[in-house]
Amino acid sequence: MNNSLLLLAVLAVFVTPTALVWLLGRRAGVPRWMLLVFLLAGWLTVFAGWALSQRAQPFLFPDTSPCFGTRTTPVSQYFPPDSFCRHADGELRTVNGPDAKLAFWAAATTTVVMAGTAVVRRRRRV
């Protein structure tokens, strides 16, 4: 029962949106390589954003949370994705480094550029 529920969740969350984007892109005449780059960059944006926004939260392994043992409260920001520890004096200190934020912004930029390129290419052809 749990395996079939997990399979349905994976199908609904990952496979269905990917297949719909692929089919709509192919129908619109977008090249395969452009769709592939768009989908990979899009999923990288989603996963990097989730990881950046949830890093301080102690939901999976509380002992490994950056806020654990420092008497601070974890705080999440969803866009732009970041995690903070709120200290006793009220100051928010980020727990994500610049490299992780760069990976998110590079993937997000690539996703937007690929979508824009596909639209421009489609309009030029019509």
Side-chain angles (χ1 to χ4, degrees), residues 39-85:
L39 286 170
L40 290 175
W43 283 117
L44 180 62
T45 302
V46 168
F47 289 128
W50 177 81
L52 286 172
S53 67
Q54 298 300 311
R55 186 159 176 221
Q57 300 297 329
F59 66 92
L60 191 55
F61 301 107
D63 297 347
T64 62
S65 171
C67 300
F68 180 76
T70 58
R71 294 187 182 153
T72 59
T73 307
V75 178
S76 292
Q77 174 181 316
Y78 295 105
F79 193 82
D82 206 353
S83 289
F84 306 94
C85 291

